[in-house]
Amino acid sequence: MDNRQAIGSWLSGPRAAMEEAGADFGYRGEQLGLPEQGPGSIARPGRRIGALAVDWGLCLLIAYGLFTDGYDARTGNWALLVFLVLSVLTVGTLGFTPGKRLFGLRVVALDTGTVQPLRGLLRSVLLCLAVPALVWDRDGRGLHDRLARTVEVRV
């Protein structure tokens, strides 16, 4: 490696620099035993964000219609509570929220393939804290998924 490659490697990031050095990272989900594409593969960030936006919009509408008189600062707080309840009830039993279903996603446990209510509760609480969802591993799983031992896959 010459000096220009060493100095310019920060532009492409550490993963690209390691791949140029010969490291093979594989595809997202390979270490988890998931397929690279199609049903059962790791959900891509675009679908996940879209599903989250649909769920959040639904929760805002519910909070606006049932708990607050007009849109004010309390509406967001009520929407977060509705989001928590919605996520716990649907992910902990069915494995998906309305937004996830619309975008063709499902949350599964790594060991059993289904999400038990306690894992759904842990995942939902951590998701509402927002920071664990912003910390991802190389497979694209958020910290909330890693701690709950779940993964969001395509249906």
Side-chain angles (χ1 to χ4, degrees):
M1 178 183 295
D2 67 4
N3 288 336
R4 287 177 291 172
Q5 286 179 325
I7 293 171
S9 67
W10 67 273
L11 292 172
S12 56
R15 181 180 176 123
M18 290 294 293
E19 286 175 345
E20 285 179 15
D24 181 25
F25 290 107
Y27 62 88
R28 290 179 181 219
E30 184 175 15
Q31 292 181 335
L32 304 172
L34 300 174
E36 185 174 3
Q37 298 177 18
S41 64
I42 295 253
R44 298 289 182 223
R47 285 184 179 217
R48 294 173 70 167
I49 292 170
L52 182 64
V54 168
D55 290 336
W56 184 252
L58 179 66
C59 293
L60 270 174
L61 285 173
I62 292 171
Y64 177 79
L66 295 179
F67 299 114
T68 60
D69 187 30
Y71 187 81
D72 59 8
R74 296 177 301 142
T75 307
N77 294 334
W78 279 108
L80 185 61
L81 182 63
V82 170
F83 180 80
L84 176 66
V85 170
L86 174 79
S87 184
V88 167
L89 291 179
T90 58
V91 171
T93 56
L94 302 172
F96 53 82
T97 61
K100 288 182 190 347
R101 182 69 176 162
L102 183 68
F103 279 83
L105 304 177
R106 184 178 184 93
V107 178
V108 296
L110 286 174
D111 49 0
T112 63
T114 59
V115 179
Q116 293 83 18
L118 288 177
R119 284 189 187 183
L121 174 68
L122 175 63
R123 184 183 188 280
S124 300
V125 168
L126 291 171
L127 183 61
C128 286
L129 294 176
V131 172
L134 298 174
V135 178
W136 291 9
D137 64 3
R138 70 177 218 70
D139 289 319
R141 291 171 54 209
L143 187 57
H144 62 294
D145 277 326
R146 289 185 58 99
L147 292 175
R149 292 178 296 162
T150 58
V151 64
E152 198 166 348
V153 297
R154 293 176 55 195
V155 177

mmCIF file of all heavy atoms in Angstrom, residues 11 16-17 31 33 43 61 65-66 69 74 79 82 96 101 120-121 126 128 133 147:
data_model
loop_
_atom_site.group_PDB
_atom_site.id
_atom_site.type_symbol
_atom_site.label_atom_id
_atom_site.label_comp_id
_atom_site.label_asym_id
_atom_site.label_seq_id
_atom_site.Cartn_x
_atom_site.Cartn_y
_atom_site.Cartn_z
ATOM 1 N N LEU A 11 -11.556 8.237 3.174
ATOM 2 C CA LEU A 11 -12.665 8.697 2.346
ATOM 3 C C LEU A 11 -13.692 7.597 2.104
ATOM 4 O O LEU A 11 -14.884 7.851 2.078
ATOM 5 C CB LEU A 11 -12.150 9.228 1.007
ATOM 6 C CG LEU A 11 -11.334 10.510 1.067
ATOM 7 C CD1 LEU A 11 -10.737 10.804 -0.300
ATOM 8 C CD2 LEU A 11 -12.202 11.660 1.521
ATOM 9 N N ALA A 16 -14.324 -0.445 3.562
ATOM 10 C CA ALA A 16 -13.731 -0.508 2.229
ATOM 11 C C ALA A 16 -12.225 -0.718 2.311
ATOM 12 O O ALA A 16 -11.645 -1.462 1.513
ATOM 13 C CB ALA A 16 -14.054 0.759 1.451
ATOM 14 N N ALA A 17 -11.583 -0.084 3.270
ATOM 15 C CA ALA A 17 -10.142 -0.251 3.436
ATOM 16 C C ALA A 17 -9.804 -1.688 3.823
ATOM 17 O O ALA A 17 -8.833 -2.262 3.316
ATOM 18 C CB ALA A 17 -9.619 0.728 4.482
ATOM 19 N N GLN A 31 -23.793 -14.215 9.033
ATOM 20 C CA GLN A 31 -23.400 -14.775 10.329
ATOM 21 C C GLN A 31 -24.587 -15.302 11.118
ATOM 22 O O GLN A 31 -24.424 -16.141 11.992
ATOM 23 C CB GLN A 31 -22.677 -13.725 11.171
ATOM 24 C CG GLN A 31 -21.333 -13.330 10.636
ATOM 25 C CD GLN A 31 -20.668 -12.297 11.535
ATOM 26 O OE1 GLN A 31 -21.331 -11.565 12.258
ATOM 27 N NE2 GLN A 31 -19.354 -12.245 11.478
ATOM 28 N N GLY A 33 -27.125 -16.845 9.669
ATOM 29 C CA GLY A 33 -27.691 -17.965 8.940
ATOM 30 C C GLY A 33 -28.892 -17.590 8.092
ATOM 31 O O GLY A 33 -29.705 -18.447 7.763
ATOM 32 N N ALA A 43 -34.018 -7.140 6.723
ATOM 33 C CA ALA A 43 -34.738 -5.994 6.164
ATOM 34 C C ALA A 43 -33.784 -4.834 5.952
ATOM 35 O O ALA A 43 -32.944 -4.538 6.802
ATOM 36 C CB ALA A 43 -35.872 -5.586 7.100
ATOM 37 N N LEU A 61 -52.160 9.973 14.888
ATOM 38 C CA LEU A 61 -53.595 10.122 14.636
ATOM 39 C C LEU A 61 -54.428 9.632 15.813
ATOM 40 O O LEU A 61 -55.418 10.259 16.195
ATOM 41 C CB LEU A 61 -53.993 9.363 13.368
ATOM 42 C CG LEU A 61 -53.601 10.000 12.054
ATOM 43 C CD1 LEU A 61 -53.915 9.065 10.896
ATOM 44 C CD2 LEU A 61 -54.305 11.328 11.875
ATOM 45 N N GLY A 65 -56.718 12.079 18.052
ATOM 46 C CA GLY A 65 -58.156 11.873 18.099
ATOM 47 C C GLY A 65 -58.707 11.473 19.449
ATOM 48 O O GLY A 65 -59.834 11.824 19.795
ATOM 49 N N LEU A 66 -57.930 10.748 20.240
ATOM 50 C CA LEU A 66 -58.465 10.216 21.494
ATOM 51 C C LEU A 66 -58.022 10.950 22.756
ATOM 52 O O LEU A 66 -58.772 10.999 23.726
ATOM 53 C CB LEU A 66 -58.086 8.735 21.643
ATOM 54 C CG LEU A 66 -58.678 7.758 20.630
ATOM 55 C CD1 LEU A 66 -58.177 6.355 20.910
ATOM 56 C CD2 LEU A 66 -60.185 7.794 20.653
ATOM 57 N N ASP A 69 -56.906 17.534 22.719
ATOM 58 C CA ASP A 69 -57.874 18.388 22.039
ATOM 59 C C ASP A 69 -57.107 19.311 21.100
ATOM 60 O O ASP A 69 -56.755 20.428 21.456
ATOM 61 C CB ASP A 69 -58.672 19.186 23.068
ATOM 62 C CG ASP A 69 -59.803 19.972 22.431
ATOM 63 O OD1 ASP A 69 -60.334 19.513 21.401
ATOM 64 O OD2 ASP A 69 -60.156 21.046 22.955
ATOM 65 N N ARG A 74 -48.473 17.862 24.074
ATOM 66 C CA ARG A 74 -48.865 16.593 24.691
ATOM 67 C C ARG A 74 -49.120 15.502 23.660
ATOM 68 O O ARG A 74 -49.011 14.323 23.974
ATOM 69 C CB ARG A 74 -50.123 16.779 25.535
ATOM 70 C CG ARG A 74 -49.932 17.713 26.718
ATOM 71 C CD ARG A 74 -51.235 17.908 27.478
ATOM 72 N NE ARG A 74 -52.250 18.461 26.576
ATOM 73 C CZ ARG A 74 -53.535 18.116 26.609
ATOM 74 N NH1 ARG A 74 -53.957 17.232 27.477
ATOM 75 N NH2 ARG A 74 -54.391 18.656 25.773
ATOM 76 N N ALA A 79 -48.543 10.038 21.709
ATOM 77 C CA ALA A 79 -48.233 9.201 20.544
ATOM 78 C C ALA A 79 -47.131 8.197 20.878
ATOM 79 O O ALA A 79 -47.181 7.040 20.440
ATOM 80 C CB ALA A 79 -47.825 10.066 19.362
ATOM 81 N N VAL A 82 -48.777 5.473 22.887
ATOM 82 C CA VAL A 82 -49.575 4.630 21.996
ATOM 83 C C VAL A 82 -48.657 3.743 21.152
ATOM 84 O O VAL A 82 -48.945 2.563 20.946
ATOM 85 C CB VAL A 82 -50.490 5.499 21.097
ATOM 86 C CG1 VAL A 82 -51.144 4.662 20.011
ATOM 87 C CG2 VAL A 82 -51.543 6.202 21.931
ATOM 88 N N PHE A 96 -45.320 -8.383 13.993
ATOM 89 C CA PHE A 96 -45.255 -7.194 13.144
ATOM 90 C C PHE A 96 -46.278 -6.168 13.602
ATOM 91 O O PHE A 96 -47.273 -6.494 14.243
ATOM 92 C CB PHE A 96 -45.496 -7.541 11.673
ATOM 93 C CG PHE A 96 -46.761 -8.317 11.424
ATOM 94 C CD1 PHE A 96 -47.989 -7.684 11.317
ATOM 95 C CD2 PHE A 96 -46.719 -9.687 11.288
ATOM 96 C CE1 PHE A 96 -49.154 -8.404 11.087
ATOM 97 C CE2 PHE A 96 -47.874 -10.421 11.067
ATOM 98 C CZ PHE A 96 -49.093 -9.776 10.963
ATOM 99 N N ARG A 101 -46.202 -4.750 8.511
ATOM 100 C CA ARG A 101 -47.016 -5.613 7.646
ATOM 101 C C ARG A 101 -47.178 -4.983 6.265
ATOM 102 O O ARG A 101 -47.099 -5.665 5.246
ATOM 103 C CB ARG A 101 -48.375 -5.848 8.294
ATOM 104 C CG ARG A 101 -49.275 -6.754 7.525
ATOM 105 C CD ARG A 101 -48.743 -8.158 7.547
ATOM 106 N NE ARG A 101 -49.685 -9.024 6.877
ATOM 107 C CZ ARG A 101 -49.385 -10.202 6.426
ATOM 108 N NH1 ARG A 101 -48.174 -10.672 6.598
ATOM 109 N NH2 ARG A 101 -50.273 -10.942 5.834
ATOM 110 N N GLY A 120 -40.756 -8.996 22.973
ATOM 111 C CA GLY A 120 -41.436 -7.882 22.326
ATOM 112 C C GLY A 120 -41.469 -6.654 23.211
ATOM 113 O O GLY A 120 -41.284 -5.525 22.745
ATOM 114 N N LEU A 121 -41.676 -6.864 24.506
ATOM 115 C CA LEU A 121 -41.679 -5.761 25.463
ATOM 116 C C LEU A 121 -40.303 -5.117 25.553
ATOM 117 O O LEU A 121 -40.175 -3.896 25.470
ATOM 118 C CB LEU A 121 -42.126 -6.256 26.840
ATOM 119 C CG LEU A 121 -42.047 -5.251 27.981
ATOM 120 C CD1 LEU A 121 -43.063 -4.134 27.772
ATOM 121 C CD2 LEU A 121 -42.288 -5.934 29.310
ATOM 122 N N LEU A 126 -36.851 -0.478 24.363
ATOM 123 C CA LEU A 126 -35.575 0.029 23.857
ATOM 124 C C LEU A 126 -35.757 0.851 22.585
ATOM 125 O O LEU A 126 -35.063 1.841 22.385
ATOM 126 C CB LEU A 126 -34.609 -1.130 23.607
ATOM 127 C CG LEU A 126 -34.108 -1.843 24.861
ATOM 128 C CD1 LEU A 126 -33.332 -3.100 24.483
ATOM 129 C CD2 LEU A 126 -33.276 -0.921 25.709
ATOM 130 N N CYS A 128 -38.342 2.713 21.892
ATOM 131 C CA CYS A 128 -38.892 4.014 22.293
ATOM 132 C C CYS A 128 -37.816 4.926 22.890
ATOM 133 O O CYS A 128 -37.978 6.146 22.880
ATOM 134 C CB CYS A 128 -40.041 3.830 23.286
ATOM 135 S SG CYS A 128 -41.535 3.220 22.495
ATOM 136 N N ALA A 133 -31.820 2.071 18.844
ATOM 137 C CA ALA A 133 -32.173 1.841 17.446
ATOM 138 C C ALA A 133 -31.205 2.527 16.487
ATOM 139 O O ALA A 133 -31.124 2.163 15.318
ATOM 140 C CB ALA A 133 -33.591 2.326 17.188
ATOM 141 N N LEU A 147 -30.133 -6.879 21.848
ATOM 142 C CA LEU A 147 -30.418 -7.182 23.252
ATOM 143 C C LEU A 147 -31.634 -8.086 23.415
ATOM 144 O O LEU A 147 -31.690 -8.901 24.333
ATOM 145 C CB LEU A 147 -30.598 -5.885 24.033
ATOM 146 C CG LEU A 147 -29.331 -5.032 24.186
ATOM 147 C CD1 LEU A 147 -29.648 -3.715 24.873
ATOM 148 C CD2 LEU A 147 -28.264 -5.793 24.958
#
